[in-house]
Amino acid sequence: SNSLDSLQLLLKCLAASMGILFWAFVVLVFFQCVAGMIIGNLARGFMDVASDDPEVLEKQQLVFLYYGTFTRTFLTMFEVLFANWSPPCRALVEHVSELFSVAFLFYRCVLGFAVMNVVNAVFVSQ
């Protein structure tokens, strides 16, 4: 009975936080979409250059794997925020421009630390 009481309390807490969870999800998706559209459009110039050089084509394919379409870019931005952010970052830094390192560090610091800590604080205060 004691373990079922704990489960019941956990389920009640989850149900009570659904509104906050929804809006936190909306905010994160919005920031990821905006950042993804900016980075994807900046990388587009590199991917659209016509080349017969197999080495350049290979680099373009690697960048396309991460940033070639909106859905690929959105998935990449999710990866950057919650998983291993080094490969997507390195693909742009090594093959397109080193300035992308600043953009990724800013994105990780602002969204990864600031926004996620605010979301965590809201959940804790509820």
Side-chain angles (χ1 to χ4, degrees):
S1 174
N2 191 17
S3 63
L4 291 179
D5 290 341
S6 298
L7 177 62
Q8 186 178 15
L9 177 63
L10 178 64
L11 292 175
K12 283 183 182 179
C13 290
L14 286 173
S17 64
M18 281 300 186
I20 295 168
L21 180 63
F22 171 76
W23 287 111
F25 177 75
V26 168
V27 168
L28 288 175
V29 167
F30 173 76
F31 280 121
Q32 287 180 332
C33 284
V34 170
M37 286 188 284
I38 291 169
I39 289 178
N41 281 325
L42 291 173
R44 174 71 49 203
F46 174 75
M47 290 183 284
D48 287 344
V49 173
S51 175
D52 292 333
D53 185 5
E55 192 173 307
V56 172
L57 289 174
E58 185 178 328
K59 292 175 184 178
Q60 287 175 325
Q61 287 174 343
L62 176 65
V63 172
F64 183 84
L65 282 175
Y66 290 114
Y67 306 99
T69 64
F70 175 77
T71 52
R72 288 174 187 259
T73 304
F74 183 75
L75 179 62
T76 299
M77 299 315 287
F78 184 84
E79 265 184 326
V80 167
L81 186 59
F82 293 110
N84 187 7
W85 65 283
S86 182
C89 178
R90 290 281 180 195
L92 291 179
V93 170
E94 298 296 330
H95 305 306
V96 182
S97 172
E98 290 183 1
L99 292 176
F100 279 106
S101 62
V102 175
F104 276 99
L105 291 174
F106 181 77
Y107 176 77
R108 284 284 299 169
C109 288
V110 170
L111 204 61
F113 297 125
V115 174
M116 290 304 293
N117 284 338
V118 168
V119 168
N120 287 334
V122 169
F123 274 106
V124 168
S125 70
Q126 292 290 322

